[in-house]
Amino acid sequence: MRGVAVAAIALTSVLSMAACAKDSGGSTGSGSTSSAAGGCKLADKPPAPAAASSSSSASEKVDGKALKVGLAYDIGGRGDASFNDSAAAGLDKAKADFGFTDVKELTAAPNEAEDAKQTRLRQLASEGYNPIIAVGFAYAESLKTVAPEFANTKFALVDGTVEGAANVTPLLFAEEQGSFLAGVIAAYQSKACHVGFIGGVKIPLIQKFDAGYEQGAKAAAPDIKIEKKYLTPAGDFTGFQDPTKGQEAAKGQIEAGADVLYHAAGASGKGVFSAAKAANVKAIGVDSDQYNQATVADSKDVIVSSMLKRVDVAVYDFVRAAAKNDLASLPKVFDLKVDGVGYATSGGKIDDNLKAVLEGYKAQIISGAIKVSDQPSS
């Protein structure tokens, strides 16, 4: 979905969009339309983006053989089919490309005490791992204490910042921008014009997913109905690793009439997919391309797309920058402009017509014509 190939798809498909119908049955012409089989009355399609000039600056070879890389996962760890697995993918690619072999991975426990996080980070730093990536904002408080103790160690914090700690690089994302596109996908895929959002924990980070999804769905279909459910309140992080709760929340939204569900719930999303599969409705994954995740393979046929939060890109780029001693080259926010967020097309549910629509909205967000809020309306 990147570069010239995407631009070519958008340009070649825009002329035929009037003749194409969306997956849920209906979008004809250039204005607002309804599906003959139900579906949403869709807003006017955004204009096709101009062809992007491909800046294929071949990246120079980076020698990272001397690196010892530490990674402290959030709860769920490698194998969560979501956020942590995306970080793991970035680490694996960096290891293959830059030649280092010494890697240590440690994982947080649910609702663990703060000193457990500090111990985990100190263990990595005292054993000489440098750089060290902390996956998740929950490490912010611990890094305030630990990072100054190891001033020569390069730390990165996914989804958070540590004020005053010069050796902590924030890796931040525009989740609301990628979730806007997930909302557009949901509107185009829904036959009932009724969709759902399931968040793991009601915290500002997850509310960014909620906000973008709602805005994107309503931009594409102003009359769409949206169900919302958070599995646990702020402070109770078990909402990110409770597939049973995810399944029950999804069942409730399906019973209310939603036929496309988007989750930002970590490993709890496995339950969302199971409920969608059982009810034969559609689902949108998060963080990784969940259609290709082995741990949710039983439900892959209902996964129409995933909002890609490119933690893998951020982790890879951070390790690369650390190897080059050039951390200042990293973007302040991994957004649509730098492909820090996006959408997956695995499974063939996103046809050329919908790709053109998505690329049109994406171009408007990048240009600033559409401002995506990070605060949900309710």
Side-chain angles (χ1 to χ4, degrees):
M1 56 187 177
R2 298 187 180 185
V4 175
V6 166
I9 290 169
L11 289 170
T12 55
S13 59
V14 69
L15 294 177
S16 62
M17 285 184 354
C20 292
K22 68 183 178 72
D23 183 61
S24 64
S27 114
T28 56
S30 59
S32 303
T33 58
S34 319
S35 163
C40 292
K41 182 177 182 182
L42 298 169
D44 291 348
K45 295 170 184 167
S53 58
S54 104
S55 61
S56 63
S57 53
S59 48
E60 73 275 21
K61 184 80 173 170
V62 173
D63 183 0
K65 292 186 183 67
L67 293 179
K68 294 178 63 174
V69 181
L71 197 147
Y73 288 115
D74 204 348
I75 55 174
R78 186 187 279 263
D80 73 340
S82 184
F83 184 71
N84 290 296
D85 268 355
S86 186
L91 178 64
D92 292 345
K93 179 170 169 50
K95 183 178 177 184
D97 287 357
F98 307 144
F100 58 88
T101 57
D102 196 343
V103 171
K104 188 157 193 171
E105 302 175 34
L106 301 174
T107 302
N111 294 327
E112 65 184 7
E114 190 61 40
D115 61 0
K117 293 181 178 63
Q118 293 183 19
T119 298
R120 187 174 303 115
L121 295 170
R122 281 197 188 96
Q123 178 185 345
L124 291 169
S126 62
E127 291 177 4
Y129 289 92
N130 186 13
I132 295 170
I133 302 112
V135 183
F137 65 89
Y139 283 100
E141 287 300 316
S142 297
L143 280 169
K144 283 182 186 176
T145 301
V146 176
E149 297 173 5
F150 299 91
N152 294 323
T153 299
K154 297 179 178 72
F155 293 91
L157 176 60
V158 176
D159 284 342
T161 59
V162 180
E163 297 298 330
N167 59 331
V168 180
T169 299
L171 302 177
L172 305 174
F173 299 84
E175 294 93 350
E176 68 279 8
Q177 292 184 359
S179 295
F180 181 104
L181 300 181
V184 173
I185 291 168
Y188 271 72
Q189 294 283 345
S190 177
K191 294 180 179 176
C193 205
H194 191 164
V195 301
F197 171 78
I198 295 169
V201 183
K202 194 169 186 179
I203 51 175
L205 173 63
I206 302 305
Q207 288 176 306
K208 290 170 70 179
F209 293 83
D210 178 356
Y213 181 67
E214 176 183 27
Q215 189 176 342
K218 289 184 175 178
D223 298 327
I224 198 166
K225 186 172 181 181
I226 304 174
E227 304 288 333
K228 295 185 184 184
K229 175 72 174 177
Y230 287 88
L231 301 181
T232 55
D236 179 359
F237 293 102
T238 61
F240 289 130
Q241 54 154 19
D242 193 334
T244 300
K245 273 187 181 170
Q247 186 170 23
E248 289 306 311
K251 282 181 180 176
Q253 293 190 351
I254 293 165
E255 287 168 3
D259 63 357
V260 183
L261 305 181
Y262 173 47
H263 85 88
S268 300
K270 296 175 187 178
V272 175
F273 293 143
S274 295
K277 170 86 170 178
N280 195 30
V281 302
K282 297 173 181 177
I284 299 173
V286 75
D287 297 335
S288 304
D289 184 352
Q290 296 200 287
Y291 182 88
N292 291 321
Q293 288 283 352
T295 55
V296 292
D298 289 348
S299 305
K300 68 187 297 181
D301 55 316
V302 301
I303 300 174
V304 296
S305 183
S306 296
M307 194 289 278
L308 300 177
K309 177 174 175 178
R310 302 303 303 271
V311 178
D312 57 332
V313 170
V315 167
Y316 180 90
D317 287 356
F318 171 72
V319 174
R320 183 175 184 276
K324 294 176 60 184
N325 198 26
D326 185 22
L327 295 177
S329 64
L330 293 170
K332 299 296 184 191
V333 177
F334 288 85
D335 58 10
L336 281 174
K337 189 172 185 178
V338 298
D339 288 320
V341 292
Y343 62 93
T345 59
S346 300
K349 305 293 197 304
I350 309 296
D351 62 16
D352 286 351
N353 177 42
L354 182 49
K355 283 181 193 175
V357 170
L358 292 167
E359 290 303 311
Y361 279 116
K362 177 179 174 180
Q364 289 193 332
I365 293 169
I366 291 172
S367 73
I370 292 177
K371 307 275 189 198
V372 185
S373 174
D374 60 3
Q375 299 287 328
S377 64
S378 60

